[in-house]
Amino acid sequence: MITAVRGTYDILPSDTPLWQFVEARARAVFQRHGFCELRTPIFEQTELFVRSIGDATDIVEKEMYTFPDRKGRSLTLRPEGTASVVRACLEHNLLAQQKAVRLYYCGPMFRYERPQAGRQRQFNQIGVELFGSYSPLADAEVIALLVRLYEELGLTNLTVKLNTLGDADSRLRYQDALRACLAPLQATLCTDCQRRCATNILRVLDCKVPACRDILAAAALPGMQATLSDAARAHYQQVLATLTQLGIAYHEEPKLVRGLDYYSHTIFEVTHTALGAQDALGGGGRYDGLVTEMGGPPTGAVGWALGVERLLMALRAGATALPVPPAPVFLIAFDERAVQENFIIADALRRAGIAAITAYEKQSPKAQMRQANHAGAQIVLMRGEDERAADIYKMKDMRTGVESVCPAADVVHHVTAALRGA
Ligand code: AMP
């Protein structure tokens, strides 16, 4: 038997209503905030991700699904959404058309990580990007959007973690301070981190190797705050003050750096208590340098991505009333002719907006009733020789057990009334 590839999985019919619920709520919240959807391809030129995410990051060094196409061009399954969104905006000149451009995306991402609970190789993200503003209000807007979306989904026990990476100058000073702090520890770090101490020292802070994490947790690392320029500090303070005005609780986390090179200023992560080791529900930050890096005009930008699988784990762990699959009407046939008759009535019900299922062949009434129960039917309609003679349908309301009859020509009307509880 051929099975799904390690780190990938099927979303089964019992789970898709929850996915659809989350996606529909997210779309409604985005619409209310003025964000429009952008759909980009699943694969891109490898260079796009190397240039944007950074060649010393875990994603680019170890996690990308990269392959040559039949003409030998290097392609990569997208490991995240922002690079593609920026590419598409530049390719279609979207950023020149209005001052602030608000976009969102939903879809699968691919990273060759070690699969475990909450970590897959194909996983789904929902993300937003806001282009065209350097204002701290834009940072606050997208952070608030993430929190409001989680609230709308009924999620509680969230922690919003915030930090700032400052502007380019602040970051250079911070890297020097970090280098001085890590120099005596360098030999004890993994070989990747030893190399990163020279090439891209910030990436040492998000190494996933347990020994490195322990060493870093014990080290008295410098806080970013001390090396911030005045302008960067003022930007960050206004983000914090605005979040406070919005009533959004946050936690400052001086060691938060996030694993992608393109961030500057505000970075944030939302964690949830029910998720265990992989507790990051979503995260993002400001990335003012990325659009120019990709060949566009200087453009302020801030965004985030949330992991849908982890969001569902948190929802299942919580007290949120989760959606149940639609309960259809089930039509039982007592004889062969009724199978055909039911099929036609089912079509009429569906055209009236009512979910309906029929059997394709005559089975015992008991077997069909079992199927009706299995489908979660609220109403069961029955037809056989006696019903045909009287040109009626027998109807059973499965919620109350009450049985009734209705004229065959009036089935849609009766079922509609019954489902309304009339
Ligand atoms: P990132 O793009 O790394 O900032 O990830 C944003 C969010 O996507 C994380 O907070 C997770 O919820 C989710 N995520 C990232 N990587 C994975 C993965 N391998 N499996 C499942 N979810 C993931």
Side-chain angles (χ1 to χ4, degrees), residues 25 32 35 54 60 78 84 97 117 119 135 156 181 187 192 231 260-261 284 290 293 314 328 334 336 386 412:
R25 282 283 168 94
R32 227 182 299 142
F35 283 70
V60 170
R78 62 181 186 194
S84 305
Q97 292 169 15
R119 197 197 274 165
S135 167
T156 50
C181 169
D192 281 339
L260 300 93
D261 272 357
L290 184 58
E293 175 67 32
F334 293 138
E336 209 59 60
D386 295 348
V412 171

Side-chain angles (χ1 to χ4, degrees), residues 111 113 118-120 123 125 258 280-283 305-307 310:
R111 295 184 196 170
E113 294 193 85
R119 197 197 274 165
Q120 297 83 30
F123 59 99
Q125 285 189 338
R258 301 195 34 81
L281 266 183
L306 67 82
R310 291 191 199 170

Side-chain angles (χ1 to χ4, degrees), residues 7 59 63 79-82 105 109-126 150 208 258-260 262-263 268-270 275 278-284 304-311:
I59 293 183
E63 298 173 358
E80 59 102 51
T82 303
Y105 58 85
M109 307 293 160
F110 306 84
R111 295 184 196 170
Y112 193 83
E113 294 193 85
R114 196 167 56 77
Q116 54 183 278
R119 197 197 274 165
Q120 297 83 30
R121 290 182 173 165
Q122 176 174 338
F123 59 99
N124 287 271
Q125 285 189 338
I126 296 176
Y150 287 137
K208 294 189 186 108
R258 301 195 34 81
L260 300 93
Y262 52 60
Y263 288 120
F268 52 91
E269 204 155 78
V270 176
L275 291 184
Q278 304 301 319
D279 67 350
L281 266 183
W304 51 252
L306 67 82
V308 183
E309 283 80 0
R310 291 191 199 170
L311 169 58

Side-chain angles (χ1 to χ4, degrees), residues 60-221:
V60 170
E61 278 187 345
K62 302 179 190 167
E63 298 173 358
M64 294 206 304
Y65 280 89
T66 296
F67 54 95
D69 73 3
R70 289 180 181 275
K71 292 244 167 76
R73 290 170 290 227
S74 181
L75 303 178
T76 294
L77 299 183
R78 62 181 186 194
E80 59 102 51
T82 303
S84 305
V85 171
V86 171
R87 180 204 46 72
C89 281
L90 295 178
E91 197 167 330
H92 304 285
N93 206 22
L94 299 183
L95 302 181
Q97 292 169 15
Q98 45 189 312
K99 183 129 180 52
V101 176
R102 294 180 174 84
L103 300 171
Y104 78 88
Y105 58 85
C106 311
M109 307 293 160
F110 306 84
R111 295 184 196 170
Y112 193 83
E113 294 193 85
R114 196 167 56 77
Q116 54 183 278
R119 197 197 274 165
Q120 297 83 30
R121 290 182 173 165
Q122 176 174 338
F123 59 99
N124 287 271
Q125 285 189 338
I126 296 176
V128 306
E129 318 290 356
L130 198 174
F131 296 100
S133 174
Y134 294 96
S135 167
L137 291 180
D139 308 38
E141 178 175 327
V142 298
I143 296 169
L145 172 56
L146 181 58
V147 172
R148 299 302 180 224
L149 173 57
Y150 287 137
E151 283 173 359
E152 187 102 355
L153 290 165
L155 213 57
T156 50
N157 299 328
L158 298 172
T159 307
V160 179
K161 296 178 177 169
L162 281 177
N163 193 19
T164 177
L165 294 172
D167 47 31
D169 284 347
S170 316
R171 217 154 42 250
L172 282 176
R173 283 194 294 275
Y174 182 64
Q175 284 165 345
D176 286 344
L178 198 56
R179 208 167 283 121
C181 169
L182 290 180
L185 304 170
Q186 193 167 333
T188 61
L189 299 171
C190 74
T191 48
D192 281 339
C193 282
Q194 292 188 23
R195 185 168 35 79
R196 287 169 185 166
C197 281
T199 57
N200 191 344
I201 196 157
L202 274 185
R203 295 285 70 87
V204 174
L205 298 188
D206 43 47
C207 180
K208 294 189 186 108
V209 173
C212 289
R213 293 182 81 109
D214 291 346
I215 293 167
L216 293 171
L221 297 177

